Amino acid sequence: MASSTAGVPKTAPLPFPLRRKPLLLLSTLLRLTLLLYGLYQDTHSPLKYTDIDYSVFTSAASLVSRHRSPYDRPTYRYTPLLAWLLYPTALPHLNGLLFHSGKLLFAGADIFAGRAMLAVLARAGVGEGFAARIVAAAWLLNPMVAVISTRGSAEGLLGMLVTGMVWDVLEGRIIYAGVLLGVATHLKIYPVIYSLSIALYLAPQAGSASQSKVDWIRAQVSATRVKFFGAAAVAFVWLNALMYGVYGWDFIEHTFLYHVRRLDHRHNFSPYATLLYQASARAGSVLGTDAEKLQDGGFVLEGGLGEVHRLAFVPQLLLSAVLIPLVLVRGGDSRRLGATMMIQTWAFVAFNKVCTSQYFVWYVCLLPFYLPGSVALRRPVVGVTLLGLWLGGQAIWLNAAYQLEFLGKATFVPELWVASLGFFAVNVGILWLFVLDVAGWEEGGGETSKVKVR
């Protein structure tokens, strides 16, 4: 009797490195290798591998271990929860190796985020092999991502929470997803921009044409939405109330209010950076040679134009939190949800008055949700061009910044300012292409039928 499988083509097995467990293992080995290399470089080189932010985190954790406030550490501008998570770094055990346990935490968050990305792409119908290639290239085996986490940057925690939230939303674990949004927003306020996208994704079924306005309004307050936003609110309020109860106004000031009026001007790709330099000089926080370079640059703005950076949040939030979700999200369309969240984050970072390279991780962790079926992969020339423009814009800016900070040249204007405007223009152009691309996707997943390859 003939086999029931006769004539059915066999699917070629995935190459070993592209299977889920080997890929996660490879990404773990990459990060462990970088951690060990970082220990060596910190010991033998004057140029340290460990990020200065990690020193701030661990100093705050040390203060917490001695029952003091983490805000006794100057420049600690984060929730105390981060210092609590890094409490083991203050313990003297294992010959001081526990000092680096925070880096293991951040690297582990990277790995979990990668696992969530693979699950989300599988849920969206993307072929396993193709999904593995995307996640490996964009995140798990991306040297930039691995270096950032193993140097001690906490951005991987946000990546884990945000990708985990998307995974839970798509799998119907609504309360868990809401809790993750609340925790992520407590750590850093920007994930709140995803609220409208998720609300639109959780849209109720369309009512009849004869449905009254009152019934339509009641339908919008669906049980699913109430569960999600209720869980998010409880998690956010509970964490904030706990931290306020322990640390008082210092918590509000350094975790939230500081970031509204911050004047960070170093390592800032934003076109507002030069204005922030000038504002810092007026406030007395730019001293000595920096102030002289600013004056030598001949760039002085007086009056309202010099304070325009204070309104930076208006176009930023209008675009990232409202307009992009309204244009792109469709109820129940998982492909559009992930892609839209990536585009929102891209807009938020591009229009932020402080834009550092670590912020790029915020949208890179969502990039795998956009790439399948995107114009960047459908037309490789477009993808390579966009990547070249993005990297080239950074290179031009870094050259001007190097001349300023290391060679002592007054490159504020025109070099650094023009480079910032150029990089901003590149980001806005790419953003516009992303929006047009996703807006053209078909309902129910767009181009997913074109990317189910192994």
Side-chain angles (χ1 to χ4, degrees):
M1 181 176 179
S3 171
S4 60
T5 60
V8 178
K10 295 182 178 180
T11 303
L14 283 174
F16 182 76
L18 292 181
R19 299 172 192 173
R20 188 184 73 195
K21 290 183 179 179
L23 177 58
L24 295 175
L25 177 61
L26 282 174
S27 61
T28 301
L29 291 175
L30 170 63
R31 284 158 176 80
L32 288 176
T33 301
L34 289 171
L35 281 169
L36 293 174
Y37 170 77
L39 293 177
Y40 176 85
Q41 181 172 325
D42 285 347
T43 304
H44 295 89
S45 173
L47 181 62
K48 304 303 180 183
Y49 182 83
T50 299
D51 194 295
I52 186 62
D53 285 347
Y54 191 70
S55 298
V56 175
F57 300 157
T58 53
S59 293
S62 177
L63 290 168
V64 168
S65 72
R66 288 177 278 140
H67 308 289
R68 293 175 57 187
S69 169
Y71 300 114
D72 289 343
R73 174 36 161 118
T75 72
Y76 186 79
R77 314 291 189 185
Y78 313 92
T79 168
L81 180 60
L82 184 57
W84 291 8
L85 289 173
L86 297 185
Y87 186 94
T89 65
L91 301 178
H93 304 76
L94 300 178
N95 294 321
L97 287 178
L98 282 178
F99 175 79
H100 302 281
S101 61
K103 300 175 186 177
L104 286 173
L105 173 66
F106 301 151
D110 275 359
I111 306 302
F112 183 88
R115 174 65 182 90
M117 293 172 199
L118 292 170
V120 169
L121 292 179
R123 180 70 170 73
V126 179
E128 183 181 358
F130 191 52
R133 293 184 182 94
I134 288 175
V135 174
W139 187 259
L140 284 176
L141 300 182
N142 184 339
M144 180 191 80
V145 174
V147 166
I148 285 176
S149 63
T150 55
R151 291 187 65 211
S153 172
E155 307 306 329
L157 288 178
L158 270 298
M160 177 186 70
L161 293 171
V162 170
T163 56
M165 177 186 67
V166 177
W167 186 8
D168 284 340
V169 166
L170 299 189
E171 293 295 337
R173 299 186 289 259
I174 299 302
I175 292 179
Y176 293 150
V179 169
L180 290 180
L181 178 62
V183 175
T185 306
H186 171 77
L187 282 174
K188 291 208 173 179
I189 199 67
Y190 85 89
V192 74
I193 67 174
Y194 306 132
S195 299
L196 181 56
S197 287
I198 296 173
L200 293 172
Y201 172 80
L202 298 175
Q205 297 293 325
S208 62
S210 59
Q211 187 180 41
S212 68
K213 291 183 178 180
V214 174
D215 289 338
W216 181 86
I217 293 173
R218 288 175 178 171
Q220 303 311 304
V221 189
S222 63
T224 303
R225 285 175 169 172
V226 170
K227 287 179 182 178
F228 177 81
F229 288 105
V234 168
F236 181 73
V237 171
W238 183 82
L239 282 171
N240 287 340
L242 174 63
M243 299 304 167
Y244 182 78
V246 176
Y247 298 107
W249 187 255
D250 279 349
F251 160 67
I252 302 295
E253 169 66 28
H254 295 288
T255 304
F256 298 114
L257 297 183
Y258 166 79
H259 297 279
V260 174
R261 56 176 179 263
R262 64 190 298 189
L263 298 176
D264 291 20
H265 45 268
R266 290 189 178 275
H267 316 131
N268 185 358
F269 290 91
S270 169
Y272 296 104
T274 303
L275 300 180
L276 295 179
Y277 259 110
Q278 181 176 329
S280 297
R282 289 198 301 268
S285 58
V286 171
L287 303 174
T289 56
D290 274 349
E292 292 169 5
K293 293 174 195 172
L294 182 61
Q295 294 169 3
D296 290 345
F299 184 72
V300 178
L301 289 176
E302 301 293 345
L305 189 56
E307 300 296 320
V308 69
H309 61 86
R310 298 185 184 278
L311 299 177
F313 69 92
V314 176
Q316 178 191 30
L317 294 182
L318 181 63
L319 187 63
S320 63
V322 180
L323 296 181
I324 290 175
L326 289 175
V327 170
L328 298 181
V329 177
R330 301 289 183 272
D333 191 331
S334 59
R335 285 276 291 113
R336 280 179 174 263
L337 175 63
T340 300
M341 289 173 61
M342 190 283 293
I343 296 172
Q344 288 179 266
T345 316
W346 188 286
F348 184 90
V349 172
F351 282 82
N352 201 28
K353 68 178 181 180
V354 177
C355 177
T356 70
S357 57
Q358 291 178 345
Y359 292 4
F360 301 157
V361 176
W362 297 356
Y363 54 73
V364 170
C365 74
L366 295 166
L367 190 61
F369 303 154
Y370 163 73
L371 285 176
S374 68
V375 67
L377 294 188
R378 295 198 311 269
R379 301 175 184 174
V381 172
V382 174
V384 172
T385 301
L386 295 180
L387 180 61
L389 288 171
W390 187 71
L391 293 175
Q394 292 179 63
I396 294 171
W397 185 93
L398 289 170
N399 178 62
Y402 173 79
Q403 293 184 54
L404 172 68
E405 295 199 17
F406 291 93
L407 302 183
K409 296 182 178 179
T411 58
F412 284 99
V413 177
E415 293 91 337
L416 197 60
W417 190 51
V418 171
S420 296
L421 291 176
F423 187 58
F424 177 72
V426 167
N427 278 282
V428 171
I430 295 175
L431 173 67
W432 180 247
L433 186 144
F434 284 161
V435 171
L436 292 178
D437 188 25
V438 175
W441 287 0
E442 299 170 3
E443 296 289 334
E447 302 288 342
T448 47
S449 61
K450 297 182 181 181
V451 298
K452 290 182 182 179
V453 297
R454 298 185 67 85

